[in-house]
Structures are given as structure tokens and as C-alpha cells.
Amino acid sequence: MSTAPQSGIVRRMNREQGMSPEHPSPPSLDEDLRSFSKELRESWESLMARRAAGLVQTDKEELALDLEVAKRLCTSLVGRPKQLWALAKESEVDVSAWLIETMMDLSHNGLLDEALALRKDLGMLLTSIDRVVYRPLLLALAGQHEEAITEAKADLTRTPDDLTIADHVATVLFTCSQLSEAERLSRHILTRSPSGSHPHQGAVQRLVEILHQTGRHKEARQFLSQHGSPSEQSGP
């Protein structure tokens, strides 16, 4: 495994795109899906250990197993998307976040085609897939920076007032080391979004990282003191 200095920014999207294991009234888990619980828990525990250590997945064998489980799961959920939340409750795993993490790990390891295929499978189960798994971010993680930036900027041009898309685009720019542009867009989001909203939290976190990366440590501390950390804004 290798360290991932930008993983905190990138991985934040998992808990902020409207996908949660909570559901107003999740149905009972169908019997044929119960076998997934153990596999998901084991993979999730490994993911949490990596995240705590600031590492990204580089174990090709483990990643191949995760992909196989993810493909079987998406196939099994066709026609019954609410079972996603039932499985999350049963396994005590944020299944949607796990699927997103798997796509990101695939992209990070150069398996972009597999990541995009899994994204397409998940898109059969969910609406607004672009707001859940942003395609240009997968491109960026796979090292296709020019294509990722071009696609992200085109999205921003089409929907200039959509702060969720703007937040995604800023994350892509940050991931591609376009720090000046990422900073400008993040400051724009900060002035336009309500305090505590997901785009606002994303802008704060990115700006703190950018300030530190560009040597403006005192400004970063002052900024964080003024705006607070995203975790403080979102509550316990």
C-alpha cells in the first residue's frame, strides 16, 4: 500500500453525495443477499484500516476480490435497489460508500475501464449517478488529468450555479494538482454555499490543504480558526 496525501479530499465525497446506509424504512433483506454480509464486512474493515493509516489500496489480489464481489452485488440488486439499504443495515456497512471506494481504488490502480463499468452498473440502481460517483474524478485518479479537467470544466460551464458540481470540479482540479484554479473555485463555493453544507465543507477542507501545500501555514491556521474544520461543522 502507498500513502495518499490527497485521499482525505477525494474520499470525502463518499459520505456527502446523498447515499447513506440509513433509509426511512428499509425493507427486510432478501434471503439470497445475506451471503454478501460477511464479504462486505471483511472488505470494509480492511478499508477502514487503510483509511485510518492514510493509505490507498495497492494489493491487486484484494482489489480483484472486491471487484468480483461488487459486480455480483450490482447484478443481484437489479430490479430491487432498495435492498441496497437493507443490506447496509444487515451488514453494518455503508455499502454505497464501499462501492464508491472500490471504483476509486480501481482507478488509482489503473483499472479505469473496470471502474467505469462498475459505475455504469451502479447507475442502473441509482438516480443522479453523476452526483454520487463523478466520472472526471475517476479519470483523474487513473492519471488521465487532461481529459478529467476538460470534462469537469465542461460540466461547470453547463451548470455554473450547481455548487455540488462545482465542488466535484474543484476536487478534480485539486487531484490534478491545479492548485491555483482549485483555490479560486473553492473560494467561490465558500462565498455561495450555506455554512455546514456539503459544498461548503468541501471548500473549507480543500482550502486548508491548498494553503498548507503552498507553504501558507499561518494563513491555513487562521482560515481554519475562522471557518472551523468540516468535521466540526457536520457535527458528531
Side-chain angles (χ1 to χ4, degrees):
M1 296 181 190
S2 62
T3 57
Q6 298 178 350
S7 64
I9 300 292
V10 174
R11 306 301 187 177
R12 177 183 54 80
M13 69 181 291
N14 291 3
R15 64 178 184 273
E16 296 187 357
Q17 305 310 323
M19 293 180 66
S20 165
E22 298 299 328
H23 190 272
S25 55
S28 298
L29 183 64
D30 290 348
E31 193 62 36
D32 65 308
L33 296 176
R34 293 187 182 279
S35 61
F36 284 103
S37 291
K38 183 175 183 293
E39 293 173 295
L40 288 171
R41 276 196 297 270
E42 290 177 351
S43 181
W44 183 255
E45 288 170 2
S46 178
L47 165 64
M48 290 296 100
R50 290 196 304 273
R51 181 181 284 176
L55 302 174
V56 295
Q57 177 65 281
T58 56
D59 185 326
K60 297 292 196 294
E61 184 175 342
E62 184 177 13
L63 182 56
L65 290 173
D66 287 345
L67 175 58
E68 189 272 332
V69 173
K71 290 168 67 175
R72 280 195 290 114
L73 177 60
C74 286
T75 298
S76 298
L77 290 172
V78 170
R80 43 178 177 170
K82 290 184 179 180
Q83 285 292 305
L84 181 69
W85 285 271
L87 181 58
K89 182 178 180 181
E90 175 74 18
S91 63
E92 298 183 333
V93 169
D94 187 338
V95 181
S96 57
W98 176 81
L99 286 165
I100 296 171
E101 290 281 353
T102 300
M103 290 177 226
M104 291 186 173
D105 286 339
L106 289 165
S107 294
H108 177 82
N109 283 274
L111 300 172
L112 179 61
D113 289 344
E114 288 83 351
L116 293 176
L118 185 56
R119 179 181 180 273
K120 183 178 179 179
D121 289 342
L122 186 59
M124 299 294 289
L125 306 173
L126 302 168
T127 58
S128 303
I129 188 66
D130 283 328
R131 303 177 77 84
V132 177
V133 189
Y134 192 48
R135 185 178 185 276
L137 181 56
L138 296 180
L139 296 175
L141 290 171
Q144 298 188 15
H145 291 181
E146 185 176 348
E147 184 178 353
I149 291 170
T150 298
E151 191 170 315
K153 287 184 175 180
D155 288 341
L156 189 62
T157 299
R158 281 193 297 270
T159 56
D161 297 322
D162 189 327
L163 295 181
T164 296
I165 293 298
D167 184 41
H168 285 334
V169 174
T171 299
V172 168
L173 292 169
F174 179 86
T175 304
C176 296
S177 299
Q178 301 298 305
L179 300 187
S180 295
E181 288 188 87
E183 180 175 350
R184 284 196 297 271
L185 183 53
S186 296
R187 290 190 184 278
H188 171 74
I189 294 168
L190 197 67
T191 62
R192 297 282 302 279
S193 57
S195 178
S197 67
H198 295 322
H200 192 276
Q201 293 175 35
V204 169
Q205 187 175 359
R206 268 191 310 275
L207 285 168
V208 170
E209 291 286 341
I210 290 169
L211 291 170
H212 278 303
Q213 287 191 28
T214 53
R216 291 174 284 171
H217 304 296
K218 181 178 180 180
E219 186 179 348
R221 291 192 295 271
Q222 292 173 338
F223 179 85
L224 193 57
S225 175
Q226 178 183 356
H227 293 280
S229 69
S231 60
E232 289 171 349
Q233 294 176 26
S234 58

